[in-house]
Amino acid sequence: MHKKRLLTVISILLLSTVAIFANGEQEAGDASDYKLVLKLSHVFSPAEQLTISMDEVAASILEKTNGAIEIQTFPQAQLPAYKEGVEQVVRGANFISVEDPSFIGDYVADFKALYAPMLYQSFDEYVELTQKKLVQDMMAKAEEQGIKILALDYIYGFRNIITDKVVKTPADLAGVKLRTPGSKSYIDTISAMGAIATPLPWGETLSAVQQGVVDGLEGSEFTNLGTKVYESRVKNVANTHHILGTCGVYISSDVWASIPAEYQQIIQNEFTKGAKDMVSLLKSQHGGVVKELESYGVKFNDVDGAAFREALAPLYAEQEGMTPGIFESIFSELDSMRQ
Ligand code: X3X
Protein backbone atom coordinates (compact mmCIF):
# COMPACT_ATOMS: atom_id res chain seq x y z
CA MET A 1 0.00 0.00 0.00
CA HIS A 2 2.79 2.39 0.99
CA LYS A 3 4.59 1.82 -2.33
CA LYS A 4 1.39 2.56 -4.28
CA ARG A 5 0.79 5.82 -2.37
CA LEU A 6 4.42 6.87 -2.95
CA LEU A 7 4.08 6.24 -6.69
CA THR A 8 0.86 8.33 -6.74
CA VAL A 9 2.57 11.26 -4.96
CA ILE A 10 5.57 11.11 -7.33
CA SER A 11 3.35 11.05 -10.43
CA ILE A 12 1.31 14.05 -9.13
CA LEU A 13 4.56 15.93 -8.50
CA LEU A 14 5.84 15.04 -11.97
CA LEU A 15 2.57 16.09 -13.65
CA SER A 16 2.47 19.41 -11.80
CA THR A 17 6.12 20.11 -12.72
CA VAL A 18 5.35 19.43 -16.38
CA ALA A 19 2.30 21.71 -16.10
CA ILE A 20 4.42 24.56 -14.67
CA PHE A 21 6.95 24.30 -17.49
CA ALA A 22 4.20 24.02 -20.05
CA ASN A 23 2.58 27.11 -18.59
CA GLY A 24 5.97 28.86 -18.41
CA GLU A 25 6.67 27.99 -22.05
CA GLN A 26 3.13 29.15 -22.86
CA GLU A 27 3.68 32.46 -21.04
CA ALA A 28 7.00 32.87 -22.87
CA GLY A 29 5.15 31.74 -25.97
CA ASP A 30 2.46 34.31 -25.12
CA ALA A 31 5.15 37.03 -24.94
CA SER A 32 6.58 36.13 -28.34
CA ASP A 33 3.09 35.71 -29.91
CA TYR A 34 1.81 38.68 -27.91
CA LYS A 35 0.26 41.60 -29.83
CA LEU A 36 -1.52 44.62 -28.39
CA VAL A 37 -2.94 47.62 -30.24
CA LEU A 38 -3.49 50.72 -28.13
CA LYS A 39 -5.17 53.94 -29.30
CA LEU A 40 -3.54 57.10 -27.94
CA SER A 41 -5.66 60.26 -27.84
CA HIS A 42 -4.75 63.90 -27.23
CA VAL A 43 -5.90 67.37 -28.31
CA PHE A 44 -2.70 68.84 -29.71
CA SER A 45 -2.22 69.85 -33.32
CA PRO A 46 0.20 68.13 -35.76
CA ALA A 47 2.68 71.05 -35.56
CA GLU A 48 3.00 70.92 -31.76
CA GLN A 49 5.87 69.11 -30.12
CA LEU A 50 3.55 66.99 -27.96
CA THR A 51 2.16 65.41 -31.13
CA ILE A 52 5.61 64.87 -32.61
CA SER A 53 6.88 63.38 -29.34
CA MET A 54 3.93 60.97 -29.04
CA ASP A 55 4.49 59.76 -32.60
CA GLU A 56 8.21 59.27 -31.94
CA VAL A 57 7.58 57.34 -28.73
CA ALA A 58 4.98 55.12 -30.42
CA ALA A 59 7.37 54.35 -33.30
CA SER A 60 10.19 53.52 -30.91
CA ILE A 61 7.99 51.19 -28.84
CA LEU A 62 6.79 49.38 -31.98
CA GLU A 63 10.38 48.87 -33.10
CA LYS A 64 11.76 47.81 -29.71
CA THR A 65 8.93 45.33 -29.14
CA ASN A 66 9.32 43.92 -32.66
CA GLY A 67 5.78 44.98 -33.48
CA ALA A 68 4.16 43.49 -30.36
CA ILE A 69 2.98 46.84 -28.98
CA GLU A 70 1.33 49.05 -31.60
CA ILE A 71 0.29 52.48 -30.35
CA GLN A 72 -1.91 54.30 -32.87
CA THR A 73 -1.81 58.05 -32.17
CA PHE A 74 -4.85 60.33 -32.70
CA PRO A 75 -4.21 64.11 -32.33
CA GLN A 76 -6.74 67.00 -32.21
CA ALA A 77 -9.36 65.12 -30.19
CA GLN A 78 -10.19 62.74 -33.08
CA LEU A 79 -10.97 60.22 -30.33
CA PRO A 80 -12.40 60.90 -26.85
CA ALA A 81 -10.22 63.49 -25.14
CA TYR A 82 -10.05 65.56 -21.96
CA LYS A 83 -12.38 64.08 -19.29
CA GLU A 84 -13.88 61.59 -21.76
CA GLY A 85 -10.42 60.33 -22.71
CA VAL A 86 -9.55 59.60 -19.09
CA GLU A 87 -12.92 57.84 -18.72
CA GLN A 88 -11.91 55.45 -21.52
CA VAL A 89 -8.82 54.55 -19.49
CA VAL A 90 -10.82 54.02 -16.29
CA ARG A 91 -13.25 51.79 -18.23
CA GLY A 92 -10.30 49.52 -19.16
CA ALA A 93 -10.22 50.25 -22.89
CA ASN A 94 -7.05 49.58 -24.90
CA PHE A 95 -6.55 53.33 -24.81
CA ILE A 96 -3.94 55.85 -23.72
CA SER A 97 -5.12 59.31 -22.68
CA VAL A 98 -2.66 62.21 -22.80
CA GLU A 99 -4.08 65.12 -20.79
CA ASP A 100 -2.95 67.47 -18.07
CA PRO A 101 -3.09 66.21 -14.47
CA SER A 102 -6.14 68.35 -13.63
CA PHE A 103 -8.22 65.72 -15.47
CA ILE A 104 -6.91 63.07 -13.06
CA GLY A 105 -8.04 65.30 -10.22
CA ASP A 106 -11.54 63.85 -10.62
CA TYR A 107 -10.13 60.51 -9.39
CA VAL A 108 -7.31 61.58 -7.05
CA ALA A 109 -8.01 65.10 -5.77
CA ASP A 110 -4.34 65.74 -4.90
CA PHE A 111 -3.59 66.11 -8.63
CA LYS A 112 -5.63 69.34 -8.56
CA ALA A 113 -3.11 70.61 -6.01
CA LEU A 114 -0.20 69.48 -8.17
CA TYR A 115 -1.73 71.43 -11.07
CA ALA A 116 -2.62 74.50 -9.01
CA PRO A 117 -1.75 77.96 -10.40
CA MET A 118 1.51 79.86 -9.92
CA LEU A 119 3.36 77.03 -8.14
CA TYR A 120 6.39 76.53 -10.37
CA GLN A 121 9.17 78.94 -11.41
CA SER A 122 10.66 76.55 -13.97
CA PHE A 123 10.06 73.34 -15.91
CA ASP A 124 12.80 71.68 -13.84
CA GLU A 125 11.08 72.36 -10.52
CA TYR A 126 7.97 70.54 -11.66
CA VAL A 127 9.94 67.63 -13.13
CA GLU A 128 11.88 67.28 -9.87
CA LEU A 129 8.66 67.40 -7.83
CA THR A 130 7.09 64.58 -9.89
CA GLN A 131 9.97 62.34 -8.83
CA LYS A 132 9.42 62.96 -5.10
CA LYS A 133 7.66 60.40 -2.89
CA LEU A 134 4.82 62.92 -2.44
CA VAL A 135 3.88 62.63 -6.12
CA GLN A 136 4.84 58.97 -6.47
CA ASP A 137 2.30 58.27 -3.69
CA MET A 138 -0.32 60.22 -5.65
CA MET A 139 0.47 58.08 -8.69
CA ALA A 140 0.02 54.92 -6.61
CA LYS A 141 -3.44 56.18 -5.55
CA ALA A 142 -4.32 56.77 -9.21
CA GLU A 143 -3.25 53.20 -10.04
CA GLU A 144 -5.65 51.94 -7.36
CA GLN A 145 -8.38 53.95 -9.13
CA GLY A 146 -7.55 52.17 -12.40
CA ILE A 147 -5.18 54.74 -13.90
CA LYS A 148 -1.55 53.75 -14.42
CA ILE A 149 0.42 56.96 -14.95
CA LEU A 150 3.35 56.44 -17.33
CA ALA A 151 4.50 60.07 -17.23
CA LEU A 152 3.47 63.47 -15.82
CA ASP A 153 6.03 65.73 -17.45
CA TYR A 154 5.21 66.27 -21.11
CA ILE A 155 5.54 69.99 -20.49
CA TYR A 156 4.26 72.28 -23.24
CA GLY A 157 5.03 75.61 -21.60
CA PHE A 158 3.76 78.14 -19.10
CA ARG A 159 0.24 79.27 -19.95
CA ASN A 160 -0.25 83.03 -20.35
CA ILE A 161 -3.32 85.20 -20.98
CA ILE A 162 -3.76 86.03 -24.71
CA THR A 163 -6.16 88.89 -25.50
CA ASP A 164 -6.83 91.77 -27.86
CA LYS A 165 -6.50 94.36 -25.06
CA VAL A 166 -3.37 94.83 -22.93
CA VAL A 167 -3.78 93.09 -19.55
CA LYS A 168 -1.55 93.91 -16.58
CA THR A 169 -3.72 93.45 -13.49
CA PRO A 170 -6.73 91.37 -12.39
CA ALA A 171 -8.83 94.52 -12.75
CA ASP A 172 -7.96 94.57 -16.48
CA LEU A 173 -9.71 91.19 -16.79
CA ALA A 174 -13.06 92.38 -15.41
CA GLY A 175 -15.80 91.31 -17.85
CA VAL A 176 -13.26 89.66 -20.19
CA LYS A 177 -14.40 86.24 -21.45
CA LEU A 178 -11.43 83.86 -21.68
CA ARG A 179 -11.58 80.40 -23.19
CA THR A 180 -10.24 77.65 -20.95
CA PRO A 181 -10.10 73.84 -21.08
CA GLY A 182 -13.06 72.28 -19.29
CA SER A 183 -11.51 71.18 -16.02
CA LYS A 184 -12.41 72.90 -12.72
CA SER A 185 -8.74 73.77 -12.13
CA TYR A 186 -8.68 76.09 -15.16
CA ILE A 187 -12.15 77.52 -14.56
CA ASP A 188 -11.33 78.34 -10.93
CA THR A 189 -7.93 79.81 -11.86
CA ILE A 190 -9.16 82.12 -14.62
CA SER A 191 -12.16 83.19 -12.54
CA ALA A 192 -9.93 84.01 -9.55
CA MET A 193 -7.68 86.04 -11.86
CA GLY A 194 -10.67 88.27 -12.61
CA ALA A 195 -11.92 87.02 -16.00
CA ILE A 196 -15.04 85.15 -17.07
CA ALA A 197 -13.87 81.56 -17.67
CA THR A 198 -15.51 80.12 -20.78
CA PRO A 199 -14.71 76.40 -21.13
CA LEU A 200 -14.48 75.15 -24.73
CA PRO A 201 -12.66 72.25 -26.42
CA TRP A 202 -9.50 73.47 -28.14
CA GLY A 203 -11.01 72.72 -31.56
CA GLU A 204 -13.66 75.45 -31.10
CA THR A 205 -11.32 78.04 -29.56
CA LEU A 206 -9.99 80.02 -32.50
CA SER A 207 -13.37 80.33 -34.19
CA ALA A 208 -14.83 81.50 -30.85
CA VAL A 209 -12.12 84.18 -30.71
CA GLN A 210 -12.76 85.27 -34.30
CA GLN A 211 -16.53 85.39 -33.79
CA GLY A 212 -16.21 87.35 -30.54
CA VAL A 213 -17.76 84.53 -28.49
CA VAL A 214 -14.70 84.94 -26.28
CA ASP A 215 -12.35 87.93 -25.90
CA GLY A 216 -9.27 85.76 -25.65
CA LEU A 217 -7.76 82.57 -24.29
CA GLU A 218 -4.82 81.38 -22.26
CA GLY A 219 -2.06 79.15 -23.49
CA SER A 220 1.67 78.73 -23.89
CA GLU A 221 3.89 80.30 -26.58
CA PHE A 222 4.25 76.81 -28.05
CA THR A 223 0.48 76.56 -28.35
CA ASN A 224 0.30 80.09 -29.73
CA LEU A 225 2.81 79.24 -32.48
CA GLY A 226 1.80 75.62 -33.07
CA THR A 227 -1.90 76.35 -33.52
CA LYS A 228 -1.39 79.79 -35.15
CA VAL A 229 -3.24 81.77 -32.48
CA TYR A 230 -1.02 84.66 -33.64
CA GLU A 231 -3.03 84.80 -36.90
CA SER A 232 -6.16 85.74 -34.91
CA ARG A 233 -7.09 89.16 -33.54
CA VAL A 234 -5.62 88.45 -30.10
CA LYS A 235 -2.03 89.71 -30.22
CA ASN A 236 -1.34 90.72 -26.60
CA VAL A 237 0.25 88.17 -24.28
CA ALA A 238 0.17 88.99 -20.55
CA ASN A 239 3.11 87.14 -18.99
CA THR A 240 1.08 85.67 -16.13
CA HIS A 241 2.68 82.21 -16.19
CA HIS A 242 -0.45 81.24 -14.26
CA ILE A 243 -0.32 77.48 -14.99
CA LEU A 244 2.55 75.26 -16.11
CA GLY A 245 1.02 73.40 -19.05
CA THR A 246 1.99 69.77 -18.82
CA CYS A 247 0.51 66.46 -19.91
CA GLY A 248 0.48 63.08 -18.30
CA VAL A 249 0.21 59.73 -20.08
CA TYR A 250 -2.48 57.45 -18.68
CA ILE A 251 -3.33 53.79 -19.37
CA SER A 252 -5.75 51.43 -17.62
CA SER A 253 -4.13 49.67 -14.65
CA ASP A 254 -5.76 46.40 -15.76
CA VAL A 255 -4.54 46.75 -19.35
CA TRP A 256 -1.08 47.61 -18.02
CA ALA A 257 -1.05 44.52 -15.77
CA SER A 258 -1.90 42.31 -18.76
CA ILE A 259 1.17 43.42 -20.72
CA PRO A 260 4.23 41.11 -20.36
CA ALA A 261 6.87 42.64 -18.08
CA GLU A 262 9.50 42.89 -20.82
CA TYR A 263 7.15 45.06 -22.89
CA GLN A 264 6.05 47.10 -19.87
CA GLN A 265 9.70 48.02 -19.33
CA ILE A 266 10.13 49.15 -22.94
CA ILE A 267 6.90 51.18 -22.88
CA GLN A 268 7.82 52.85 -19.59
CA ASN A 269 11.38 53.62 -20.72
CA GLU A 270 10.23 55.19 -23.99
CA PHE A 271 7.56 57.42 -22.44
CA THR A 272 10.03 58.51 -19.74
CA LYS A 273 12.68 59.31 -22.36
CA GLY A 274 10.13 61.08 -24.57
CA ALA A 275 9.18 63.50 -21.79
CA LYS A 276 12.82 64.21 -20.92
CA ASP A 277 13.64 64.91 -24.58
CA MET A 278 10.58 67.15 -25.01
CA VAL A 279 11.41 69.23 -21.91
CA SER A 280 14.98 69.86 -22.99
CA LEU A 281 13.87 70.67 -26.54
CA LEU A 282 11.22 73.19 -25.46
CA LYS A 283 13.59 74.84 -22.97
CA SER A 284 16.05 75.41 -25.82
CA GLN A 285 13.35 76.57 -28.25
CA HIS A 286 11.41 79.06 -26.08
CA GLY A 287 13.50 82.15 -26.85
CA GLY A 288 13.25 81.54 -30.58
CA VAL A 289 9.51 80.92 -30.37
CA VAL A 290 8.98 84.27 -28.60
CA LYS A 291 11.00 86.05 -31.29
CA GLU A 292 9.03 84.33 -34.05
CA LEU A 293 5.73 85.31 -32.43
CA GLU A 294 6.95 88.91 -32.11
CA SER A 295 7.77 88.86 -35.81
CA TYR A 296 4.08 88.08 -36.39
CA GLY A 297 3.05 91.14 -34.35
CA VAL A 298 2.52 89.47 -30.97
CA LYS A 299 3.30 91.76 -28.00
CA PHE A 300 4.52 90.36 -24.66
CA ASN A 301 3.48 92.48 -21.68
CA ASP A 302 4.71 92.21 -18.10
CA VAL A 303 2.03 92.01 -15.42
CA ASP A 304 1.57 92.87 -11.75
CA GLY A 305 2.57 89.40 -10.55
CA ALA A 306 1.92 90.19 -6.87
CA ALA A 307 -1.65 91.25 -7.66
CA PHE A 308 -2.35 88.00 -9.55
CA ARG A 309 -0.68 85.92 -6.82
CA GLU A 310 -2.91 87.63 -4.24
CA ALA A 311 -5.99 86.97 -6.40
CA LEU A 312 -5.05 83.28 -6.67
CA ALA A 313 -4.13 82.71 -3.01
CA PRO A 314 -7.64 81.38 -2.07
CA LEU A 315 -7.11 78.48 -4.51
CA TYR A 316 -4.52 76.94 -2.17
CA ALA A 317 -7.35 75.93 0.18
CA GLU A 318 -7.72 72.15 0.40
CA GLN A 319 -10.64 70.83 -1.62
CA GLU A 320 -12.78 67.78 -0.82
CA GLY A 321 -10.79 64.55 -1.09
CA MET A 322 -7.37 66.22 -0.91
CA THR A 323 -4.77 64.89 1.54
CA PRO A 324 -4.66 67.21 4.56
CA GLY A 325 -1.62 69.49 4.24
CA ILE A 326 -1.08 68.67 0.57
CA PHE A 327 -0.37 72.28 -0.36
CA GLU A 328 2.05 72.70 2.57
CA SER A 329 3.83 69.53 1.41
CA ILE A 330 4.11 70.87 -2.15
CA PHE A 331 5.30 74.29 -0.94
CA SER A 332 7.93 72.71 1.33
CA GLU A 333 9.28 70.50 -1.47
CA LEU A 334 9.53 73.55 -3.73
CA ASP A 335 11.13 75.68 -1.00
CA SER A 336 13.78 73.02 -0.42
CA MET A 337 14.60 73.02 -4.15
CA ARG A 338 15.10 76.79 -4.00
CA GLN A 339 17.50 76.78 -1.03
O1 X3X B 1 -5.26 68.46 -21.39
C1 X3X B 1 -4.19 68.83 -22.16
C2 X3X B 1 -4.04 70.34 -22.19
O2 X3X B 1 -3.99 70.90 -20.90
C3 X3X B 1 -5.19 70.93 -22.96
O3 X3X B 1 -4.98 72.31 -23.08
P1 X3X B 1 -5.78 73.05 -24.23
O4 X3X B 1 -7.16 72.51 -24.36
O5 X3X B 1 -5.63 74.52 -23.96
O6 X3X B 1 -5.00 72.62 -25.53
C4 X3X B 1 -3.65 73.00 -25.64
C5 X3X B 1 -3.34 73.23 -27.10
O7 X3X B 1 -1.93 73.32 -27.22
C6 X3X B 1 -3.88 72.10 -27.98
O8 X3X B 1 -3.44 72.30 -29.31
Side-chain angles (χ1 to χ4, degrees):
M1 184 55 177
H2 177 66
K3 207 171 172 185
K4 205 172 167 196
R5 189 177 296 151
L6 189 61
L7 275 174
T8 312
V9 169
I10 289 167
S11 51
I12 289 169
L13 275 175
L14 270 174
L15 276 172
S16 51
T17 308
V18 166
I20 289 167
F21 274 114
N23 263 339
E25 274 159 24
Q26 202 182 352
E27 264 171 30
D30 287 354
S32 60
D33 302 345
Y34 185 86
K35 170 81 178 174
L36 176 65
V37 177
L38 294 163
K39 295 187 186 303
L40 182 147
S41 173
H42 63 80
V43 300
F44 290 75
S45 67
E48 294 181 271
Q49 186 57 44
L50 188 284
T51 304
I52 297 164
S53 296
M54 287 300 135
D55 292 350
E56 289 172 350
V57 168
S60 186
I61 289 168
L62 185 71
E63 186 205 342
K64 293 186 174 174
T65 61
N66 300 314
I69 306 292
E70 180 186 348
I71 298 176
Q72 299 170 352
T73 58
F74 296 86
Q76 294 183 298
Q78 294 169 36
L79 294 183
Y82 297 121
K83 178 182 169 72
E84 289 73 25
V86 176
E87 283 170 357
Q88 289 291 313
V89 165
V90 173
R91 281 198 202 106
N94 286 340
F95 193 92
I96 293 176
S97 165
V98 180
E99 299 293 348
D100 70 61
S102 74
F103 291 97
I104 302 299
D106 295 338
Y107 301 89
V108 179
D110 287 350
F111 281 99
K112 292 179 195 172
L114 183 71
Y115 207 63
M118 291 202 175
L119 283 179
Y120 310 106
Q121 293 173 5
S122 70
F123 292 8
D124 292 347
E125 281 188 355
Y126 173 76
V127 172
E128 188 175 337
L129 181 64
T130 61
Q131 287 148 14
K132 299 285 185 190
K133 183 179 182 306
L134 176 70
V135 178
Q136 296 296 314
D137 289 349
M138 292 160 66
M139 292 168 74
K141 284 181 191 165
E143 195 159 354
E144 287 163 14
Q145 299 280 331
I147 303 169
K148 168 68 177 174
I149 298 176
L150 296 173
L152 280 170
D153 48 352
Y154 278 85
I155 298 174
Y156 60 91
F158 281 103
R159 297 176 76 107
N160 293 314
I161 301 280
I162 309 172
T163 45
D164 186 21
K165 66 182 276 192
V166 175
V167 169
K168 287 188 174 295
T169 68
D172 294 336
L173 286 172
V176 174
K177 287 179 287 184
L178 288 182
R179 175 270 173 185
T180 73
S183 77
K184 188 174 181 300
S185 299
Y186 287 102
I187 294 165
D188 290 351
T189 295
I190 295 305
S191 304
M193 289 172 79
I196 299 167
T198 312
L200 285 172
W202 179 265
E204 297 171 22
T205 300
L206 296 186
S207 53
V209 168
Q210 288 308 85
Q211 291 155 23
V213 171
V214 293
D215 306 306
L217 63 148
E218 43 85 51
S220 75
E221 279 72 82
F222 298 101
T223 293
N224 199 330
L225 186 65
T227 61
K228 298 188 176 175
V229 173
Y230 62 84
E231 288 183 342
S232 73
R233 62 188 179 86
V234 290
K235 298 275 189 193
N236 280 293
V237 174
N239 289 323
T240 51
H241 276 39
H242 54 277
I243 282 178
L244 178 62
T246 184
C247 281
V249 180
Y250 317 116
I251 188 172
S252 153
S253 308
D254 291 342
V255 172
W256 180 251
S258 73
I259 298 173
E262 64 186 279
Y263 295 146
Q264 284 181 341
Q265 192 60 60
I266 292 168
I267 295 166
Q268 182 60 76
N269 290 348
E270 293 308 307
F271 274 109
T272 300
K273 179 181 180 300
K276 192 164 178 287
D277 293 349
M278 181 167 161
V279 165
S280 52
L281 189 60
L282 266 58
K283 278 162 68 175
S284 68
Q285 287 179 339
H286 186 253
V289 166
V290 168
K291 283 195 170 44
E292 188 172 351
L293 288 169
E294 286 173 331
S295 74
Y296 297 137
V298 174
K299 298 274 184 293
F300 290 87
N301 307 302
D302 290 334
V303 300
D304 181 348
F308 280 111
R309 274 190 296 279
E310 187 184 343
L312 289 167
L315 295 191
Y316 301 131
E318 280 161 26
Q319 297 173 34
E320 190 186 341
M322 284 185 179
T323 304
I326 183 68
F327 283 108
E328 287 70 22
S329 302
I330 291 173
F331 295 150
S332 105
E333 289 289 1
L334 292 170
D335 288 346
S336 60
M337 290 178 203
R338 296 164 186 167
Q339 302 298 341

